[in-house]
Structures are given as C-alpha cells and as structure tokens.
Amino acid sequence: MKSLKKQRRIQVIAAASVALVLAVGLIGYGFSDGINLYRSPTQVSENAPDPEEFFQLGGLVVEGSIVNGEGVAFDFAITDGDVVIPVSYVGRDPRPDLFSEGQGTIAKGWYREGRFEAREILAKHDETYMPREVVETLKATGHYQDPNS
C-alpha cells in the first residue's frame, strides 16, 4: 500500500510540474507581444534592430516631413535633434487629430531597410503634452525646450 501511495504522489507532483512549466511558457509567449522596447532615432542608427523586432520609436515630427499617401497611409520623419529616421505609417487607423509637425510622437512598428514601418502612432492628447520617453530623449541630446517657459 505504501508504495502505491508513494507512486501516486510522484505522479501528482510530476503532473503539477508539467502544468506549471506549460503555464509559465504560455504566459511568457502572451507577454512577448506586449513588451515593446522604446528607442530614440540615435539608438536605432547606432545599433539597428532586427527587421522582425517590434519596438517603439519616439521623437519630434520633422517640420515639412508629413506626406499624405493613399487612404490612411502617410509618411513623415522622426528626429531626436541629432538623427532623422524616415517613417511610413502602414496602420489601419486615420492620423491622430493632434499629430502635427514639430510635436512629440511615438510610433510602434519595425525598422526595415533604413525606414521605420509604423503600425500605430501615439500622439499627444492635449496642447502641452509630450510623451515622457520623448522628453527624456530630447534632454539627453540637448534639444529639449520646455513648453512652459
């Protein structure tokens, strides 16, 4: 009887271990799409990411760079004051209302063949807002101007 109980206990522990490993694997796979690293144009130019790596690119929209395409598609450029990266928006949503030249923005997508392909554009939600990551990038490059001064 004792060996049967011991065998049953080992089977339960083994099944629980397999279930735990499977659960951790599924959770990790689920979060892999939700973890988007932020990069500045300078960081992208210094160390180009893999073409299949999805990440966030942030900075200021370059003056005179917005070019309307077909449908909701459009092209523009993002800069941190030192490096300019061309961006093509290939998403499904129309351009955000407050997206404009000279304003801070974050684009989510892939960097392929010297151009960033954005699937999503995040723009400010009021006249004075700028994403924290963009402010930090501009401060690091010495191109930040406080809008309140």
Side-chain angles (χ1 to χ4, degrees):
M1 260 337 229
K2 285 186 177 184
S3 72
L4 186 60
K5 284 184 178 182
K6 186 176 183 179
Q7 188 178 13
R8 183 62 67 189
R9 189 177 311 140
I10 291 172
Q11 289 173 343
V12 169
I13 290 172
S17 298
V18 168
L20 180 64
V21 167
L22 184 62
V24 169
L26 288 173
I27 290 170
Y29 178 75
F31 278 133
S32 66
D33 283 343
I35 299 173
N36 301 321
L37 298 176
Y38 171 83
R39 291 194 171 103
S40 69
T42 299
Q43 290 170 327
V44 170
S45 70
E46 290 174 351
N47 188 13
D50 182 64
E52 297 306 312
E53 182 182 346
F54 187 82
F55 67 97
Q56 298 178 10
L57 176 68
L60 297 176
V61 178
V62 176
E63 295 285 337
S65 69
I66 299 176
V67 177
N68 292 322
E70 215 172 282
V72 296
F74 63 97
D75 294 337
F76 63 100
I78 290 181
T79 185
D80 59 4
D82 290 337
V83 175
V84 175
I85 301 283
V87 178
S88 292
Y89 175 70
V90 293
R92 293 177 278 147
D93 299 323
R95 185 181 331 169
D97 291 336
L98 294 175
F99 179 86
S100 62
E101 297 170 344
Q103 299 297 324
T105 191
I106 294 178
K108 295 181 178 184
W110 304 266
Y111 185 69
R112 297 176 176 152
E113 299 177 12
R115 176 173 285 279
F116 190 79
E117 297 174 8
R119 182 177 72 186
E120 185 178 348
I121 302 290
L122 304 175
K124 61 185 184 173
H125 56 4
D126 67 28
E127 294 300 319
T128 59
Y129 174 78
M130 185 175 298
R132 177 180 43 85
E133 294 91 345
V134 174
V135 170
E136 290 171 2
T137 297
L138 294 174
K139 283 181 179 178
T141 60
H143 296 286
Y144 179 72
Q145 296 175 359
D146 189 356
N148 298 324
S149 59

